[in-house]
Every structure is written in C-alpha cells, then in structure tokens.
Amino acid sequence: MNPSSLFPTRHKALAQQAAQACLDLLRSARPPGGSPLNTVLEMANTLELDRRTARQSFVVRSHGAPQRSTRISAWPLWFSTDSAEKPLLYLHRCSSSAQLCAVSAETAARGILCNDSETQTSPWPKGADPSLALWLAHNPHCLPFDPATGAEAEAIVLEALQRLYIEGQPGFYYLALHDHELQLELTPEQRQAALQGMYKVTDTTAHPAAGRVRLLGAGRAFAQVRAAADLLQRDWKVASQLWSCPSYTRLAREAAAAQHWNRLHPGQERRGSHLQRCLADDSAPVIAVTGYGQAVAEQLRPHLKAELVALGTDSFDAARDPRRGRCPEARWIAVLALKSLADAGQLPMQCVEQAMATYGLP
C-alpha cells in the first residue's frame, strides 16, 4: 500500500501547511551547528518549543531523552481517518533491522527516522547489527543517509520535509547520526549535490604528482578519508579528489534506474546519473569508504568504469588485523590507494610495502 493513501485528500492540504510552517521556522532560525546528532536535536527542540509548530509536528523520542512535548504519547492518532498527517521526526536508537522494521511499521513507513545508535557502546560498527545496513539499502520505501557533518544533516531533514509533506512523496527518510563534530561549510551547489548522494569537498595537489586517486567517505568515515588524503599528499606526493557521500544507496539507485531506462529506450537520448556525472569523466581509481559493511559502498561498482576499492568494517581479516569491526583507518585507506595506483602501473609496488612498514601495519 502507498503510505500516502492512508490520508484523505482533504487532509493533504493541512499536512502541507504544517510542513511549510516547520520549514519556514527551521530556515529562519539560527543555523544549527556541531555534529549531525546535535544538529538534528536542535532542530527537534526548535519544532517542539516554538508555538508556531508545536501543534503542527510530532517529535518522538524513543530512547529516553528528555521529552518536552506533552503530545508524544498520542502521536499515532495521526493515522486515524479523521486526522491530518503531520510531519514526524522520530528520534530512535535501533540496533537491529528487526527493531528498525518495527519502527517503520509503527509509522506506516512515513516520516524522518533518525538513529543515534552509533553513539552508544556496541560490539557492532555504528552500534548496529550488519543486517540493518542491508535492510536499509534494499527497502524501496526507505531513502537512507549517513551524513558526515551537521550541515549535511540539516539539509537532509529540510529536504525530507519538502519531499514527504509538501510534495507528498511516499516512503521515509533515514539518518544515521553520530556525535563527532566535523566543520565543513556547504555552498548552495554542494548542498544540492549532497542531497543527490555525493559532493566534491576539495582537490589536494602534489607537485609533482606521483599519481591521483578519488577518495569517497560517508558519515564518520569521512574524517578518516580526509586524513588519508593528507597522508597521500605529504608522504607520497599523491594527489586526491575528496568527496563526501551522504548516501551511497541513493547514488546506486539513481544510476540503476538510469541504466534500466536506457536499456528499455535504446533509440532515445541516454539518461545519466549524479554518480556518473561526478566520476565518469576520469579513470583515476576510486576508494569508497563506509562505517557500515563493505557491501554498502560496493553498490557503486556496477556503475563505474574506473577501478573501485570499496572499504567497510568487514574489509579486513580479524586473524591478521584486530581493527576488524572498526571504520577503516586513514593509514589503511592510504595504503590501499597506493596499491590501486601500483596495480595501474603508476607506482612501483615497493611504495606499498614501504607505506605498510612506515605506518606499522601488519
């Protein structure tokens, strides 16, 4: 069932009005700062405490955080036939796909679901069972994001309000939130590109350059990717193009949809994708890093002509490396970037061996 069909047409205008009030308030408020988690919490507090939106939105906190709203226990009533839909910002802490599936069912797959599980002590990467990332990637109702910065998280929440409640699109947005602060200002062009899945942060230069790679990072892993770019430039004179990728899944889905359309319309102009527009005009190796399992970044492989090295928390052998289960470190990212250049014949393999010895890697 299309979730939007749960709400009578006569109530959709009220939902649009409520969402517009939320958007107007959030856009006019002091821009939230800090980590993705703190940014979303500030936005939630703004919606709850301002009288213009207090009764036009639902902020649900399901993990024991201070509850300022007196309406939280009654929020499921917006599913009743005589109630208008309201923007829903659901702050939860789900560590498994089963828990997230239950939350999704509770909301009829509508709303903005924000998970801060990775801020908690856990044996799993990002505080979540590996199945959760796969469930997100393969759930057609879900558009998952893993923002690296507060600016990215703010842009995603605002877009979700626009697409879900103003435009009435089906499904729900999912944000994985961490509390690591990483300052990165976004231009309007970068902000729009981030919503499509990736945007270029910078190009590092090396004179003379011994080679060039493209480094992609999502969420908290982006900090390690940026540090790896510094190592490559400083120690090996390798230039890097640095990209933040808030959603590998959105990139892969759009590229797959374009590929499918082109296959069915061979006589018409080919459609492209944001991923291909960003990366297809270059043959430099691509190293894509995620704090989830490697399969999340592997989604890009069918849509790239350049060599792809996908790295995740399961990319290393536990018997050889006790870091297995963590986000790949900058040293490993740098070494594997050098290896990709060596495989392409741009660097001698001795550079890779020297880098592993220099960085104390097994």
Side-chain angles (χ1 to χ4, degrees):
M1 176 184 295
N2 185 330
S4 63
S5 66
L6 293 171
F7 307 100
T9 302
R10 62 190 174 89
H11 288 150
K12 291 182 180 178
L14 294 176
Q16 290 175 330
Q17 292 173 14
Q20 192 62 57
C22 294
L23 283 168
D24 291 343
L25 175 62
L26 292 174
R27 287 168 176 163
S28 64
R30 179 180 62 86
S35 68
L37 175 59
N38 289 335
T39 295
V40 172
L41 289 177
E42 284 187 44
M43 297 176 81
N45 293 341
T46 299
L47 293 177
E48 281 190 299
L49 297 177
D50 194 286
R51 60 182 178 81
R52 291 169 289 181
T53 55
R55 294 188 176 278
Q56 298 205 66
S57 62
F58 285 112
V59 175
V60 183
R61 305 171 192 258
S62 66
H63 51 60
Q67 297 183 353
R68 296 181 175 85
S69 173
T70 59
R71 301 170 290 102
I72 287 179
S73 62
W75 72 266
L77 292 178
W78 63 283
F79 289 109
S80 65
T81 57
D82 60 346
S83 298
E85 182 181 16
K86 295 180 182 179
L88 171 64
L89 187 62
Y90 199 134
L91 311 177
H92 63 93
R93 184 172 293 158
C94 293
S95 60
S96 71
S97 56
Q99 288 178 315
L100 185 57
C101 183
V103 168
S104 172
E106 187 177 36
T107 63
R110 292 288 288 168
I112 307 168
L113 309 187
C114 304
N115 191 354
D116 73 340
S117 63
E118 71 177 289
T119 64
Q120 306 302 304
T121 302
S122 171
W124 295 312
K126 296 178 77 68
D129 183 283
S131 66
L132 185 141
L134 298 177
W135 184 85
L136 289 168
H138 293 94
N139 185 343
H141 300 299
C142 174
L143 191 53
F145 286 89
D146 188 9
T149 69
E152 292 178 12
E154 179 196 20
I156 295 163
V157 170
L158 293 179
E159 189 208 36
L161 287 169
Q162 175 70 34
R163 286 170 60 94
L164 295 178
Y165 301 105
I166 302 294
E167 300 174 15
Q169 300 208 14
F172 67 95
Y173 276 57
Y174 173 93
L175 286 80
L177 302 178
H178 64 78
D179 59 358
H180 179 72
E181 187 168 340
L182 180 65
Q183 295 296 335
L184 196 64
E185 296 295 328
L186 300 184
T187 65
E189 293 77 15
Q190 287 176 318
R191 186 184 183 94
Q192 185 58 41
L195 297 173
Q196 294 177 273
M198 68 184 297
Y199 65 96
K200 186 167 71 173
V201 176
T202 188
D203 279 297
T204 66
T205 57
H207 302 289
R212 181 172 172 275
V213 294
R214 291 173 288 178
L215 303 179
L216 282 56
R220 193 164 182 172
F222 178 77
Q224 294 297 323
V225 170
R226 187 160 69 172
D230 293 338
L231 292 177
L232 289 169
Q233 181 181 30
R234 184 193 69 194
D235 298 339
W236 311 101
K237 299 297 186 288
V238 170
S240 303
Q241 195 177 74
L242 188 59
W243 297 80
S244 179
C245 297
S247 184
Y248 287 123
T249 296
R250 188 168 197 174
L251 290 169
R253 286 181 185 174
E254 185 199 20
Q259 183 183 60
H260 180 70
W261 192 93
N262 292 334
R263 186 180 298 120
L264 297 179
H265 303 82
Q268 299 187 36
E269 183 179 357
R270 293 178 60 84
R271 289 184 179 179
S273 67
H274 184 62
L275 174 65
Q276 293 162 340
R277 287 189 290 271
C278 291
L279 299 180
D281 62 345
D282 199 331
S283 61
V286 175
I287 292 82
V289 186
T290 175
Y292 286 114
Q294 179 176 312
V296 173
E298 282 281 359
Q299 294 179 94
L300 304 187
R301 187 176 300 280
H303 312 292
L304 293 176
K305 294 181 180 179
E307 178 192 357
L308 172 68
V309 179
L311 297 177
T313 54
D314 54 352
S315 297
F316 301 99
D317 184 354
R320 297 185 65 246
D321 189 354
R323 282 172 286 269
R324 179 181 170 91
R326 304 183 194 174
C327 175
E329 293 183 53
R331 296 176 298 166
W332 268 117
I333 298 169
V335 165
L336 293 174
L338 294 173
K339 175 66 163 55
S340 68
L341 291 172
D343 289 342
Q346 299 183 44
L347 286 177
M349 190 60 69
Q350 289 85 343
C351 285
V352 181
E353 298 169 357
Q354 182 182 351
M356 293 191 69
T358 299
Y359 299 141
L361 298 174

